[in-house]
């Protein structure tokens, strides 16, 4: 017969409430007593009834990570880093993917609002109107956006300082282009400002940096619409892109400059580069600090769950942006 909490308390000569608190690592129980209780529980093979605990506490002690997919580093790596930290703090991480499907995204948030989790860290769907998030906030369920936010929703976001990171990335390539190579004449922006606030921030920073160096600016969409741009006479072009696929597309188009002469390309992107590097003058990768992002998001959620922050107050249910520096600027060519 399994050992019950009452059996453990009787063996130790303590109240069940004291034993229960000690097993949850409650600091109100002295450290020595907590250690003795945990040791005795292990000896007796005691396993807590998680369903009963959740019912008694009114908590599931779970935090959901809601992400688009496992395909991109920004989607999967913060969840990988957050899981062990949540376990240390007594919470389990559940992972939900919405696959870019708005209906699935809303359904997942609806399940959280219905009591499926105590809190949530969310990479939002770009088309969300904020209604599903509003239900969570009305019910006092802590929520933190990761990477980007939904406009008008009073939820904090943990992200990278995208403007500073983009400027650093572009400047590194401009400097590299002047070392024995033709200087950069044009900045090609492969971001989609209409997509989300991260893309907008990066595109705006690229434009500002290009203007500071008196460089021409072209959008990636403009390149896809025109295959005869007079770029070859500019010496070198810099491409700022958010995925290897876009870099490849624009590189192919740039190679078709006036007269068929190839254009020297210096490429920059975020997080990873999986494509070939042949034909580039330089390839640089701005690596976001996913460990720091996960740590900050977990701290915000757990502080709210443990009562250190009221999820209904602006301290958490506000619109703060926690913008973190890059982990590194990596040159792979």
């Amino acid at each position: 017969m399994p050992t019950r909490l009452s059996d453990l308390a009787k063996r130790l000569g303590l109240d069940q409430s004291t034993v229960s608190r000690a097993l949850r690592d409650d600091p109100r129980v002295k450290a020595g007593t907590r250690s003795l209780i945990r040791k005795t529980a292990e000896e007796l093979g005691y396993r807590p009834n998680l369903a009963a605990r959740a019912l008694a506490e009114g908590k599931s002690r779970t935090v959901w990570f809601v992400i688009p997919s496992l395909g991109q580093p920004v989607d999967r790596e913060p969840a990988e880093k957050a899981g062990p930290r949540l376990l240390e703090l007594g919470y389990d991480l559940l992972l939900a993917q919405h696959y870019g499907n708005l209906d699935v995204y809303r359904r997942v948030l609806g399940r959280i609002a219905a009591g499926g989790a105590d809190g949530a860290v969310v990479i939002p769907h770009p088309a969300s109107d904020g209604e599903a998030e509003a239900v969570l906030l009305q019910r006092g369920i802590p929520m933190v956006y990761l990477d980007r936010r939904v406009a008008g929703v009073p939820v904090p976001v943990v992200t990278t300082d995208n403007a500073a990171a983009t400027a650093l990335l572009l400047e590194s390539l401009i400097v590299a282009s002047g070392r024995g190579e033709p200087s950069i004449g044009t900045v090609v922006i492969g971001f989609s400002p209409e997509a989300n606030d991260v893309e907008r921030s990066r595109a705006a920073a690229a434009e500002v940096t290009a203007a500071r160096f008196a460089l021409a600016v072209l959008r990636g969409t403009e390149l896809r619409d025109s295959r005869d741009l007079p770029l070859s006479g500019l010496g070198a072009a810099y491409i700022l892109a958010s995925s290897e696929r876009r870099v490849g597309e624009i590189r192919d188009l740039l190679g078709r400059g006036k007269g068929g002469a190839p254009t020297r390309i210096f490429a920059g992107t975020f997080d990873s580069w999986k494509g070939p590097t042949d034909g580039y003058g330089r390839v640089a990768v701005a690596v976001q600090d996913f460990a720091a992002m996960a740590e900050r998001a977990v701290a915000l959620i757990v502080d709210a769950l443990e009562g250190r922050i009221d999820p209904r107050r602006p301290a958490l249910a506000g619109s703060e942006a926690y913008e973190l520096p890059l982990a590194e600027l990596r040159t792979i060519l």
Side-chain angles (χ1 to χ4, degrees), residues 20-71:
S20 178
R21 285 196 296 269
L23 293 173
R24 297 197 304 271
D25 207 27
D26 192 320
R28 289 177 294 179
V29 181
K30 293 181 179 179
T33 303
R34 295 201 306 269
S35 178
L36 174 62
I37 291 172
R38 286 195 297 268
K39 180 180 178 181
T40 305
E42 185 176 348
E43 291 173 352
L44 296 180
Y46 171 74
R47 296 291 181 270
N49 186 326
L50 298 180
R53 175 184 292 182
L55 184 62
E57 295 181 348
K59 296 180 180 179
S60 65
R61 300 196 72 79
T62 59
V63 173
W64 280 31
F65 255 66
V66 182
I67 63 175
S69 71
L70 295 172

Side-chain angles (χ1 to χ4, degrees), residues 149-265:
R149 60 155 45 106
V150 175
V153 178
V155 170
V157 58
V158 177
T159 187
T160 296
D161 187 342
N162 287 288
T166 300
L168 181 65
L169 186 61
L170 178 49
E171 288 170 4
S172 74
L173 295 174
I174 292 172
V175 170
S177 75
R179 295 174 180 169
E181 301 288 348
S183 61
I184 287 175
T186 302
V187 174
V188 181
I189 300 176
F191 298 123
S192 301
E194 69 279 1
N196 55 61
D197 54 333
V198 170
E199 298 278 284
R200 284 191 292 274
S201 177
R202 292 175 180 175
E207 290 185 341
V208 169
T209 305
R212 186 153 51 87
F213 287 90
L215 302 177
V217 173
L218 288 172
R219 295 283 185 185
T221 52
E222 295 171 336
L223 282 177
R224 281 194 287 270
D225 293 338
S226 175
R227 293 175 177 257
D228 191 24
L229 294 170
L231 292 173
S232 59
L234 298 177
Y238 165 75
I239 299 175
L240 183 63
S242 56
S243 72
E244 295 83 12
R245 179 183 60 80
R246 280 186 177 174
V247 168
E249 288 176 354
I250 299 174
R251 183 187 65 176
D252 291 343
L253 292 173
L254 287 175
R256 303 176 187 180
K258 182 179 287 187
T263 301
R264 190 71 168 169
I265 300 170

